[in-house]
Amino acid sequence: MARTKVPTPHPKLTVSQKIARCEKFRALTDNVNNACAAYMREVLAISKKHGRSERWVRHQLYLGGNVSKKSCRPNTWNAFVHQRLNDINENLAKGEHWKLMEFVEAHKGTLLSHYSVLTPAQKMRYKDEVTQLHVKKQQTARDNPRGVQCDMEASFDAMDKEWITLSYHLGIEGIFIAVRGGVDDLSGPRLFFTNKAEKFARAVLDLEPHRLALKLEAFVITRLDSCAALTQAPSHGLNQLVSKCHSIIQEGLAIIIKEKYQNDSNVRMNYNNYEGSIVERYGVALVGWPDNLLPV
């Protein structure tokens, strides 16, 4: 006779237990969100106070990617001995100061006697002083670029998957390029091209996708964006430029006529009969104006 396996019954949560677990989860989520908001407020405050970018401040506050100098745990006895040593050395000349080992060896009995009568509150105060001193002296030895790079790679991998999913479900085509913002950054260019976008880059821009990313990286790092306005096309149309030239020439003609003839009459520029109406009559000529552009 075959043995049948009876499923083990698992206890089910009651309604009150489910509600309690939901409330616990909501409280945890709220605490995490509040901590993130407080972190961002602190980042903004430090950034505004010291004139640093938010990205730089977040990078400095990233504890998971830093290697810090570690110190030993605060010791109440050491703090007590150092305090007594400093008190005695304050009243001595510079060359007569006690050394730590000599001081402990010479006054060990007295130090032990005084230390034994300290109250817990006094010992805690010594411990707090040492802790604060360690916090002030603690410095970041170096950044961990490998940790930062791993986080960045994971973020971009997730973004690549999102791009692929959007392109597949929505049928969209696009280009995504991310490059480093300065020479101090260690990340290389990251790019994502759909099939049609890649064909566009090669056929229209005549560039390989990776070469386009390198050009963008060079443009950003060399800060060519600051002088890009010099090479941009004029914002005014041809008719507006011609009208502006007419106004400048008319203003110059009025100033010359007023200074030469002491006359406030409104003399209009005559482009159709420029030689007779302007040059011969008033003795005024356009200097440096191309002859083939007259009349305008």
Side-chain angles (χ1 to χ4, degrees):
M1 181 177 179
R3 298 178 59 183
T4 58
K5 185 177 180 181
V6 179
T8 304
H10 296 282
K12 295 183 179 180
L13 296 177
T14 62
V15 176
S16 59
Q17 289 175 334
K18 291 181 180 179
I19 295 175
R21 293 189 65 177
C22 290
E23 292 178 353
K24 184 178 179 181
F25 177 76
R26 292 194 191 97
L28 176 61
T29 304
D30 293 340
N31 291 336
V32 172
N33 293 336
N34 292 336
C36 292
Y39 171 79
M40 290 306 302
R41 288 195 297 269
E42 191 68 22
V43 168
L44 291 174
I46 296 175
S47 175
K48 292 181 180 179
K49 181 178 180 181
H50 299 282
R52 294 282 187 169
S53 64
E54 297 179 16
R55 179 176 176 273
W56 184 89
V57 175
R58 289 198 304 269
H59 182 66
Q60 297 301 316
L61 295 179
Y62 176 62
L63 303 180
N66 292 339
V67 178
S68 302
K69 296 179 180 178
K70 295 183 178 180
S71 57
C72 58
R73 297 177 60 184
N75 189 295
T76 308
W77 165 256
N78 291 341
F80 169 76
V81 172
H82 277 280
Q83 182 65 40
R84 291 303 176 90
L85 177 63
N86 293 334
D87 293 341
I88 292 178
N89 286 335
E90 284 182 358
N91 301 323
L92 299 178
K94 188 174 182 180
E96 300 177 357
H97 285 185
W98 282 89
K99 302 296 183 182
L100 177 62
M101 299 303 297
E102 297 175 356
F103 174 74
V104 173
E105 185 177 356
H107 303 85
K108 187 174 183 179
T110 305
L111 292 173
L112 289 174
S113 176
H114 291 174
Y115 182 77
S116 61
V117 297
L118 291 178
T119 62
Q122 292 174 330
K123 292 182 179 180
M124 183 60 66
R125 185 170 65 251
Y126 279 118
K127 188 175 181 179
D128 292 340
E129 292 177 358
V130 175
T131 303
Q132 294 176 4
L133 183 62
H134 285 181
V135 171
K136 291 181 180 179
K137 290 185 176 181
Q138 187 176 8
Q139 298 177 353
T140 300
R142 63 179 179 86
D143 290 333
N144 185 0
R146 183 61 181 172
V148 177
Q149 188 174 5
C150 288
D151 292 341
M152 183 198 65
E153 293 289 339
S155 300
F156 279 122
D157 289 341
M159 292 178 65
D160 287 343
K161 294 179 181 178
E162 292 180 0
W163 269 90
I164 294 173
T165 304
L166 289 174
S167 176
Y168 178 76
H169 288 288
L170 302 179
I172 60 176
E173 302 288 337
I175 302 173
F176 167 76
I177 301 177
V179 297
R180 54 181 176 167
V183 293
D184 296 333
D185 296 332
L186 304 176
S187 57
R190 295 299 299 261
L191 61 157
F192 173 82
F193 283 75
T194 58
N195 293 331
K196 293 184 179 180
E198 185 174 356
K199 293 179 181 178
F200 169 81
R202 291 176 176 172
V204 179
L205 303 180
D206 194 20
L207 286 173
E208 292 293 329
H210 190 69
R211 187 174 180 83
L212 177 61
L214 292 177
K215 282 183 173 290
L216 175 60
E217 183 182 47
F219 181 84
V220 173
I221 293 177
T222 54
R223 300 186 182 278
L224 290 177
D225 55 329
S226 59
C227 57
L230 300 177
T231 60
Q232 292 179 354
S235 58
H236 302 290
L238 178 60
N239 293 334
Q240 292 178 341
L241 292 177
V242 172
S243 176
K244 191 172 183 179
C245 291
H246 285 180
S247 300
I248 295 174
I249 293 174
Q250 182 62 47
E251 292 175 1
L253 177 63
I255 293 173
I256 293 174
I257 295 297
K258 182 177 180 181
E259 293 178 352
K260 188 174 182 179
Y261 297 100
Q262 300 296 324
N263 188 359
D264 294 336
S265 60
N266 187 13
V267 178
R268 304 296 300 175
M269 184 66 180
N270 190 336
Y271 294 98
N272 294 327
N273 190 17
Y274 167 73
E275 293 291 339
S277 300
I278 302 298
V279 178
E280 295 178 1
R281 182 174 180 180
Y282 297 104
V284 179
L286 289 171
V287 178
W289 188 270
D291 295 335
N292 57 350
L293 295 183
L294 289 173
V296 178

